Amino acid sequence: MDLHILDHRLRVTSISKTGLEQYTHPLIKLIFLRNRTRCKFFSLTETPENYTVVLDEEGFKELQPSEHLQVEGSTWLPLNVVSNGNASSSSQSVGVTKIAKSVIAPLAEQHVSVFMLSTYQTDFILVREKDLSVVVESLVEEFNIFREEGGESVPVHSQDACNGLQRNGREVPHATVHPVLIPENQFCVMSLDPDTLPAIATILIDVLFYSNSPREGASIDQDMECIKFFSFSMIDGYVSLVMDTEAQKHSSGELWRMVRIGGQPLGFDECGIVAQISQPLADSDISAYYISTFSFDHALVPEEDIVSVTEMLQAQRMSS
Amino acid sequence: MDLHILDHRLRVTSISKTGLEQYTHPLIKLIFLRNRTRCKFFSLTETPENYTVVLDEEGFKELQPSEHLQVEGSTWLPLNVVSNGNASSSSQSVGVTKIAKSVIAPLAEQHVSVFMLSTYQTDFILVREKDLSVVVESLVEEFNIFREEGGESVPVHSQDACNGLQRNGREVPHATVHPVLIPENQFCVMSLDPDTLPAIATILIDVLFYSNSPREGASIDQDMECIKFFSFSMIDGYVSLVMDTEAQKHSSGELWRMVRIGGQPLGFDECGIVAQISQPLADSDISAYYISTFSFDHALVPEEDIVSVTEMLQAQRMSS
């Protein structure tokens, strides 16, 4: 299989719920007015806590600093696995499950933090730029690695692949097992022709920027039975949406349920969180999208698998 | 003819050019998300100086105070003339011309300041609430006056119509004759089914909120040959647009040229400005839309009449 280090230098940011209003102007530009921006990698995910915005440096320039904007300090690079048809895997599963053993596990073993961003089209594994050499060394045995630069794919060879990394000698860190929350919502994951974005602009704008008024009488506990979650990404011209089926009434197709990982905000430095969830899913060949945000991680699994996934995660928590 | 005092209490505000960004959120709500607001009277006009926003109290609540928002201190009420078919006027002209002699002139004589807002559908004459009794007394001879209250039209009778107002005895104030500017642009005035707003939302959003980047190399003098002017209103469900034909490429129908009134910002207290322009237009039966903004007034006259209007205004300025 091929692994591509994509030509985007990304920032991971968070906009507070109360601060969204003042970022409406740049966000609408980034989402709907492609002619006015050179941003090629943009993702916005609403959770109950905040809005996570991941975007390239061109996009990041549009966000004025303020008390409402938190910016993770690193530059992140997106990795993308391209199955070239010769993959030995017979798995029909999609998403993070497909790369759990080949990418996620080795990076966790090498203590590399990852920020996952699954979309309808593919899965992006974001790693810190400063970790790149470790990443390459961890994955060079399994993959043909290419670095994309100005439209060209340049092969990357590990400086010294047999050098430091003791793939089998090193202990897999005994990661903290985080509590999980499994809300009642059903989600759909959709792609969208970007040329049709104008036609649904007011609907999307309404969902993104104006649907945040809390329902009266709903306590936080009640809200947590259903979780507010909405994700939009436009990456290299491909649009992907994750929406609650309540917001997208006409959904047909697969339904997905969410596992939210983390009782307290997870931060960016712990490694192995994605591995902890994706490993058992891969063992059972259960498809999963995986979306990291500023505070928590989110796995989406098929509706029909949620019972077995719940049991699996309970067992994992019991044994830890 | 009937004159209706409409059931809207309006504020006249101005948003600075640099401040528009932070008002994007409430303005998009007011323009595109009718289900989220109870605002029924909304008008936004961009000029080179600022954005004039006229809106009812429900809409005004959406605008957070800031250094970028100026608010005229008064509450304004919109008047609207309804031709009931028996009108003796044989004029085919439209807009402010039709009401120049019957409304504009009498109000100027009584020193009542008006703020004009022509739309595709009709012309609104805004007067200060505190001037209402004078307004009624000035116009009660000419019109059947109704006050709209909760969907009902209630006849209004002057408290004492024969009382104070010396219609013919009082001197018409010798108003300052303001310089005018006649830019090169051509404008079109359009109505729009509000249900089609979503379909053009991104185009309108682009024009309204993102087209303000000054062209490089263009000095202010050069810019003044063509003036930035865009007006959008949604009043009781009717949408009206005034756009530069450059922005609206597919325009068919009548073309309009602009006369901008005022060398210095006009303020809100001077009366007779509209009368000064509309009177000679009415004498020559030339149609005109008239749009007041926070800083200047703007008359739009048919392209084919601009030469005679220019001569007329020059003569007026020579004789004053």
Side-chain angles (χ1 to χ4, degrees), chain A residues 48-313:
Chain A
E49 299 75 32
N50 48 41
Y51 298 84
T52 297
V53 180
V54 180
L55 69 186
D56 62 20
E57 288 171 323
E58 286 289 339
F60 183 62
K61 277 192 258 174
E62 305 282 348
L63 304 181
Q64 298 296 317
S66 87
E67 52 175 338
H68 295 293
L69 182 72
Q70 281 187 73
V71 182
E72 203 281 326
S74 320
T75 297
W76 297 75
L77 303 178
L79 313 179
N80 186 216
V81 171
V82 180
S83 307
N84 45 20
N86 301 323
S88 56
S89 163
S90 61
S91 162
Q92 294 302 302
S93 63
V94 300
V96 77
T97 305
K98 234 169 48 182
I99 54 172
K101 290 188 195 303
S102 59
V103 182
I104 305 297
L107 293 179
E109 284 172 32
Q110 299 301 330
H111 296 262
V112 173
S113 301
V114 300
F115 186 97
M116 278 298 305
L117 188 60
S118 294
T119 67
Y120 181 89
Q121 294 83 13
T122 190
D123 303 277
F124 297 98
I125 309 119
L126 275 56
V127 296
R128 286 190 170 99
E129 189 173 40
K130 70 174 174 57
D131 291 335
L132 193 59
S133 62
V134 180
V135 168
V136 169
E137 287 174 22
S138 313
L139 303 177
V140 75
E141 281 179 34
E142 186 92 15
F143 291 96
N144 301 312
I145 303 182
F146 298 90
R147 178 141 201 183
E148 303 206 344
E149 283 169 19
E152 304 266 301
S153 291
V154 182
V156 176
H157 303 289
S158 171
Q159 292 286 318
D160 190 353
C162 303
N163 183 12
L165 302 184
Q166 300 144 297
R167 293 262 339 235
N168 302 315
R170 193 151 172 179
E171 288 275 305
V172 177
H174 186 77
T176 312
V177 175
H178 294 279
V180 296
L181 178 79
I182 301 175
E184 298 293 328
N185 326 43
Q186 295 178 316
F187 293 94
C188 47
V189 182
M190 297 175 289
S191 70
L192 202 66
D193 180 342
D195 292 337
T196 66
L197 266 181
I200 59 161
T202 53
I203 297 168
L204 267 183
I205 286 172
D206 190 69
V207 170
L208 276 169
F209 297 103
Y210 299 91
S211 64
N212 200 28
S213 29
R215 274 163 300 171
E216 281 170 44
S219 75
I220 287 181
D221 270 357
Q222 284 174 321
D223 273 341
M224 276 303 174
E225 288 173 14
C226 274
I227 207 170
K228 179 109 190 188
F229 187 92
F230 177 87
S231 186
F232 170 93
S233 65
M234 180 149 53
I235 298 173
D236 292 327
Y238 291 94
V239 175
S240 169
L241 285 168
V242 179
M243 288 179 93
D244 196 306
T245 51
E246 287 297 302
Q248 166 63 15
K249 297 272 196 284
H250 311 288
S251 76
S252 54
E254 290 177 272
L255 296 176
W256 299 79
R257 288 286 297 278
M258 174 182 289
V259 177
R260 190 181 81 155
I261 301 110
Q264 296 293 318
L266 296 167
F268 290 91
D269 294 324
E270 190 180 328
C271 50
I273 303 172
V274 188
Q276 203 175 97
I277 299 290
S278 64
Q279 201 86 277
L281 293 174
D283 291 340
S284 306
D285 208 19
I286 294 173
S287 295
Y289 294 101
Y290 197 102
I291 297 176
S292 301
T293 69
F294 216 80
S295 303
F296 297 104
D297 278 10
H298 308 79
L300 291 166
V301 300
E303 166 89 63
E304 60 270 25
D305 294 319
I306 189 67
V307 173
S308 59
V309 169
T310 304
E311 289 167 359
M312 197 182 294
L313 292 171

Side-chain angles (χ1 to χ4, degrees), chain A residues 21 24-25 36 206 209-210, chain B residues 21 25 36 206 209-210:
Chain A
E21 198 169 318
T24 306
H25 191 270
R36 295 213 174 258
D206 190 69
F209 297 103
Y210 299 91
Chain B
E21 199 170 316
H25 191 271
R36 294 211 174 259
D206 190 70
F209 298 103
Y210 298 91

